[in-house]
Each structure stands twice: as C-alpha cells, then as structure tokens.
C-alpha cells in the first residue's frame, strides 16, 4: 500500500511541476499588444507639457489631437522587416491634419523596437507576464553620443496589470498590459528656498491587445537654481490617450 501511495504522490508532484512550468512560460506574443498593418491608425488626445525659457516660468500644457498611421512596411538597416509610422497633429477636429513626426517600429520574434529621433527603445519584450522586467533603453548611448539623454540611463521596464480590462475616454478594452518605465525624483523640492538642483523622470505606457498603444505618460524636467545665467526649469512632457482607432 505504501508504495502505491508513494507512486501517487510522485505522479501528482510531477504533474503539478509540469503544469507550473507550462504556466511559467506561457505568455502572449508581443505583437498581440502591438499589431502592425499598413493603413492602421490610432487617434489620441495629446497634452504636451513645455517649459519656456524665461525666469520664474511654470509648466504650460498645450492640447492637440494626434494620429499615428502605419504608412508603409519597409526594411531597416539590418535587413529586418519594419514599419514606418507617421504622426499627424491638429488643434481640434475643425482643422486639417498636419505632419509632425516619423517613427520606425521593428517587430521581432521576442520584442518590439521603437525608434524616435534616432533613439531606439525596446518597448515590449517576451515573456509578457506580471513583474517581468528588462532594460528598455539599453540600445541608447546615453553618454558619448548624446549627453542630453543621460537621464534615460539604466531604466527598468516592468510589466504590470497584465491582461487587465481598461476604459479610456469611453473606449473599453478587454485585455491590456501596463509597462511601468520610471518614477524618479532627484535633488530637493524646487519650492524650497535655496534649491539648486532637482530632476523628475516619470514614464508609463499601456497597450491593448489587438489595438496597440492606448495610453502614454512621459515627463522629464530639470531645475537649476534661478540666476542670471540659469533659466530655472527645462524639460518636456507628453500624455497620449486613445480616442479612436480602426
């Protein structure tokens, strides 16, 4: 009897282990959350945060509508399939769309690369599972190439709220994933008298299965104590939230 009980326990353990291993490595494809097809578009509400170069300035938020369109399938400089994304903006629906920027997206077997202003970001990475993290800015030379982007050094991208439902601007999505990228504050609160330096970095993105990027929030600013040679705040920010798609 004892040996039968032992065999049953061993079999159950092996079955459970196999099941756990299967669950551990089962995840969505990255392109499930970033589908690419020529003609696809997503329209966003866009709030742009700017800091004008003058003394005692405050952050100014300018509102636009933006539309990202998959314009063409091309080949990147490594011979890989890539997609050109064109961004158009307008103040509101009463105006015509005007070209604003061009991006490159490279879907691979394990990741989605996004190139903006010659900076390559690793936006999504397998496996798509809770708390998985990767170095999303590892392809950016933050020192020798462009010291202005040193704040992007060593960011840990982390999956959060995987396969979660989400509502944005009255649009409902059954399955989304949040990519938490950065929440960092350095220095001393600029509101404190005598502060000479402060820096804020915050970034998060949300993707809906079958749709793509549905929300993005990014903010970077630096504060240098206001003097005759220093403008105080410098930086920029952007908030995108989906309002339409095809």
């Amino acid at each position: 009897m004892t040996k039968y009980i032992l065999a049953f326990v061993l079999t159950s353990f092996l079955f459970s282990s196999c099941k756990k291993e299967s669950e551990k490595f089962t995840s969505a494809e990255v392109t499930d959350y970033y589908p690419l097809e020529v003609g696809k578009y997503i329209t966003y509400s866009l709030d742009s945060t700017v800091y004008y170069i003058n003394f005692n300035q405050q952050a100014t938020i300018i509102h636009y509508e933006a539309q990202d369109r998959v314009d063409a399938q091309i080949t990147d400089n490594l011979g890989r399939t890539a997609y050109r994304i064109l961004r158009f903006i307008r103040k509101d629906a009463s105006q015509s769309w005007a070209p604003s920027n061009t991006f490159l997206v490279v879907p691979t077997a394990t990741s989605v690369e996004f190139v903006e202003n010659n900076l390559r970001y690793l936006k999504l990475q397998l496996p798509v599972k809770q708390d998985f993290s990767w170095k999303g800015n590892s392809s950016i030379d933050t020192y020798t190439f462009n010291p202005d982007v040193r704040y992007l050094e060593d960011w840990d991208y982390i999956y959060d709220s995987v396969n979660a439902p989400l509502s944005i601007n009255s649009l409902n999505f059954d399955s989304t994933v949040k990519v938490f990228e950065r929440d960092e504050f350095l220095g001393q609160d600029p509101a404190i008298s005598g502060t000479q330096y402060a820096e804020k970095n915050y970034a998060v993105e949300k993707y809906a299965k079958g749709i793509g990027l549905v929300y993005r929030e990014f903010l970077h600013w630096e504060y240098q104590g206001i003097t005759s040679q220093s403008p105080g705040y410098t930086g920029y920010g952007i908030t995108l939230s989906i309002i339409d798609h095809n």
Side-chain angles (χ1 to χ4, degrees):
M1 177 66 72
T2 302
K3 68 178 181 180
Y4 291 115
I5 294 175
L6 181 60
F8 174 78
V9 171
L10 181 59
T11 301
S12 299
F13 173 77
L14 290 173
F15 176 80
S16 176
S17 298
C18 291
K19 183 178 179 181
K20 288 179 180 178
E21 286 298 310
S22 176
E23 292 173 347
K24 180 178 178 181
F25 291 102
T26 297
S27 65
E29 298 296 326
V30 286
T31 50
D32 290 348
Y33 289 99
Y34 210 128
L36 292 159
E37 181 181 351
V38 175
K40 178 178 175 58
Y41 69 81
I42 301 178
T43 308
Y44 301 97
S45 171
L46 185 159
D47 288 329
S48 175
T49 301
V50 295
Y51 295 87
Y52 292 107
I53 304 302
N54 53 48
F55 297 113
N56 298 312
Q57 79 277 43
Q58 299 293 322
T60 300
I61 298 177
I62 305 173
H63 179 75
Y64 301 95
E65 289 184 354
Q67 188 173 89
D68 289 358
R69 306 175 188 172
V70 183
D71 175 63
Q73 179 178 313
I74 59 177
T75 301
D76 74 354
N77 57 2
L78 297 177
R80 302 176 301 176
T81 297
Y83 292 84
R84 183 171 62 231
I85 311 295
L86 302 182
R87 173 167 291 173
F88 298 84
I89 63 170
R90 63 187 182 185
K91 289 296 292 183
D92 54 51
S94 68
Q95 298 185 348
S96 299
W97 291 109
S100 172
N101 210 338
T102 300
F103 312 117
L104 185 71
V105 178
V106 183
T108 75
T110 59
S111 65
V112 171
E113 300 176 11
F114 185 88
V115 182
E116 177 180 7
N117 298 327
N118 294 318
L119 301 176
R120 187 177 300 271
Y121 301 86
L122 194 58
K123 291 293 187 178
L124 298 171
Q125 175 73 48
L126 283 183
V128 183
K129 55 182 290 188
Q130 184 71 27
D131 298 327
F132 176 75
S133 68
W134 67 100
K135 300 294 183 181
N137 300 345
S138 58
S139 295
I140 299 174
D141 185 345
T142 55
Y143 283 87
T144 60
F145 175 68
N146 186 357
D148 291 337
V149 297
R150 286 180 181 173
Y151 68 92
L152 295 173
E153 174 72 14
D154 202 35
W155 283 25
D156 290 308
Y157 288 27
I158 304 172
Y159 285 132
D160 186 16
S161 305
V162 175
N163 200 32
L166 181 67
S167 294
I168 301 178
N169 297 324
S170 301
L171 297 176
N172 299 315
F173 307 101
D174 294 333
S175 176
T176 66
V177 60
K178 179 169 72 173
V179 180
F180 178 82
E181 298 174 357
R182 198 69 159 182
D183 188 2
E184 175 184 56
F185 181 83
L186 303 172
Q188 180 175 267
D189 187 345
I192 299 175
S193 177
T195 294
Q196 293 302 306
Y197 180 79
E199 180 179 340
K200 173 67 176 179
N201 298 304
Y202 181 81
V204 65
E205 296 183 345
K206 299 178 182 181
Y207 297 85
K209 184 175 289 188
I211 305 297
L213 179 71
V214 295
Y215 182 84
R216 181 191 182 202
E217 187 175 352
F218 175 91
L219 179 64
H220 164 70
W221 57 255
E222 294 183 15
Y223 175 86
Q224 302 282 348
I226 297 176
T227 68
S228 59
Q229 291 81 35
S230 174
Y233 284 96
T234 57
Y236 66 102
I238 186 173
T239 300
L240 290 170
S241 58
I242 187 172
I243 55 177
D244 187 30
H245 67 92
N246 66 350

